[in-house]
C-alpha cells in the first residue's frame, strides 16, 4: 500500500484532530512552563519551593530527611519509566496484531478500519508513551545528579561554595521535575489519543478533556491555592 492510498483512508477531520492533538500538547506544555506573571502555574510555584529547599538545605544539620525525599523522587521516576516501558511493549505487540481490537472498535464506532489504519492510530499513542518514557528516564538521571550535587554542598552557610552549589542543585532539581512533569503530560495525551480508535471526533473530545483537566490542576486547583497562601 502506497502512502497516498493509506492517506486516502483517513478523512480531513482525522488530519485536523491529529494536528490539534500535537499542537495542543506543545501549547499546553509552553503555557504551563511559561505562565502569565499574574497567574503562575503549580509547576512554576513548585520550582520556587524547590529552590527554597536547596537554600535551607545548606544550614540543615540532619540531612537524612532530604536524602529520603530524593530517594522517593527517584523511585517515582523509576516507577513511571518502568510502566511506560511495559506500555510500549504492549503497544508494539498490539500493532503487530490489531485483530484483537478491530472487533471492539467496529462494535463501538460502527465502522471497520483496515489493519493499516489501526496501526497508524496506535502509533500516535506510541508516540506519546515513547516520549513519556524518555522524559522519565532523563528525569531519573537528573535527580541522581542532584543527589550528588547535594552531597557536595557544604554544611556551612559561610563557606564560599555553599550557596553556589545549592543553587546548582536547585537548577538541576527543577530541570528534573520539569522533565518528569512533561512525561506525565505525555501520558495524559497518550491516553486521550487512544480515543482516536473510535474516530476523530472522539479524539478531539479526549484532547479537550485532557486540556481541561491539566488546566484545572495547574491553574485552578486547591493545591495551587494552598501554595499561593504564602508565596514567600
Amino acid at each position: 500500500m502506497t502512502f497516498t492510498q493509506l492517506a486516502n483512508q483517513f478523512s480531513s477531520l482525522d488530519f485536523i484532530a491529529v494536528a490539534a492533538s500535537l499542537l495542543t500538547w506543545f501549547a499546553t506544555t509552553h503555557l504551563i512552563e511559561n505562565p502569565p506573571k499574574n497567574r503562575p502555574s503549580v509547576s512554576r510555584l513548585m520550582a520556587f519551593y524547590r529552590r527554597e529547599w536547596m537554600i535551607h538545605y545548606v544550614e540543615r544539620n540532619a540531612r537524612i530527611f532530604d536524602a529520603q525525599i530524593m530517594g522517593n523522587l527517584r523511585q517515582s521516576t523509576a516507577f513511571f519509566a518502568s510502566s511506560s516501558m511495559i506500555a510500549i511493549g504492549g503497544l508494539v505487540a498490539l500493532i503487530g496484531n490489531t485483530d484483537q481490537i478491530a472487533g471492539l472498535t467496529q462494535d463501538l464506532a460502527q465502522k471497520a478500519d483496515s489493519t493499516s489504519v489501526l496501526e497508524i492510530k496506535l502509533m500516535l499513542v506510541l508516540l506519546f508513551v515513547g516520549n513519556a518514557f524518555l522524559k522519565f528516564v532523563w528525569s531519573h538521571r537528573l535527580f541522581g545528579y542532584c543527589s550528588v550535587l547535594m552531597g557536595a554542598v557544604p554544611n556551612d552557610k559561610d563557606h564560599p561554595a555553599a550557596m553556589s552549589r545549592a543553587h546548582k542543585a536547585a537548577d538541576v532539581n527543577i530541570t528534573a521535575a520539569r522533565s518528569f512533569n512533561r512525561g506525565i503530560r505525555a501520558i495524559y495525551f497518550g491516553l486521550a489519543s487512544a480515543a482516536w480508535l473510535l474516530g476523530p471526533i472522539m479524539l478531539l473530545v479526549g484532547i479537550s478533556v485532557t486540556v481541561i483537566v491539566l488546566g484545572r490542576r495547574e491553574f485552578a486547583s486547591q493545591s495551587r491555592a494552598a501554595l499561593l497562601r504564602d508565596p514567600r
Side-chain angles (χ1 to χ4, degrees), residues 130-147:
N131 179 269
F133 171 73
L134 295 175
K135 296 299 182 183
F136 290 137
V137 170
W138 183 234
S139 177
H140 185 268
R141 189 165 187 177
L142 286 176
F143 278 127
Y145 291 161
C146 182
S147 300

Side-chain angles (χ1 to χ4, degrees), residues 57-60 63 149-163 165-166:
Y57 172 77
V58 175
E59 301 180 16
R60 189 156 29 240
R63 296 182 170 182
L149 287 170
M150 290 172 66
V153 175
N155 198 190
D156 180 7
K157 65 177 182 179
D158 295 324
H159 192 285
M163 295 309 299
R165 293 179 183 178

Side-chain angles (χ1 to χ4, degrees), residues 210-232:
T210 299
V211 171
I212 292 172
V213 170
L214 288 174
R216 181 189 174 279
R217 293 183 176 180
E218 288 287 341
F219 296 100
S221 62
Q222 294 181 356
S223 57
R224 179 181 180 276
L227 291 172
L228 285 173
R229 285 176 197 158
D230 184 16
R232 298 182 179 180

Side-chain angles (χ1 to χ4, degrees), residues 36-210:
K37 293 183 179 180
N38 61 343
R39 193 167 185 83
S41 62
V42 170
S43 298
R44 177 59 63 87
L45 292 171
M46 285 304 301
F48 168 81
Y49 284 104
R50 288 176 186 276
R51 190 170 298 280
E52 288 292 300
W53 171 22
M54 291 298 109
I55 292 174
H56 291 293
Y57 172 77
V58 175
E59 301 180 16
R60 189 156 29 240
N61 292 323
R63 296 182 170 182
I64 297 177
F65 179 67
D66 303 280
Q68 291 176 337
I69 295 176
M70 290 304 302
N72 289 335
L73 290 173
R74 297 202 76 194
Q75 287 179 2
S76 297
T77 55
F79 169 77
F80 279 102
S82 299
S83 300
S84 299
M85 186 179 295
I86 294 172
I88 290 172
L91 286 168
V92 171
L94 199 57
I95 288 174
N97 185 17
T98 56
D99 295 336
Q100 297 181 16
I101 61 171
L104 177 62
T105 56
Q106 183 176 356
D107 292 338
L108 295 176
Q110 300 298 314
K111 178 183 177 182
D113 289 326
S114 67
T115 300
S116 300
V117 170
L118 290 175
E119 290 176 350
I120 294 296
K121 291 182 175 181
L122 288 173
M123 285 181 183
L124 180 63
V125 183
L126 184 61
L127 170 67
F128 286 113
V129 177
N131 179 269
F133 171 73
L134 295 175
K135 296 299 182 183
F136 290 137
V137 170
W138 183 234
S139 177
H140 185 268
R141 189 165 187 177
L142 286 176
F143 278 127
Y145 291 161
C146 182
S147 300
V148 175
L149 287 170
M150 290 172 66
V153 175
N155 198 190
D156 180 7
K157 65 177 182 179
D158 295 324
H159 192 285
M163 295 309 299
S164 174
R165 293 179 183 178
H167 283 295
K168 288 180 182 179
D171 289 338
V172 174
N173 193 303
I174 292 170
T175 303
R178 185 185 303 120
S179 293
F180 181 80
N181 291 334
R182 287 179 178 179
I184 292 292
R185 284 194 293 273
I187 292 294
Y188 273 73
F189 278 93
L191 291 173
S193 65
W196 193 20
L197 293 170
L198 304 180
I201 294 178
M202 292 305 299
L203 174 57
L204 290 172
V205 171
I207 294 298
S208 299
V209 171
T210 299

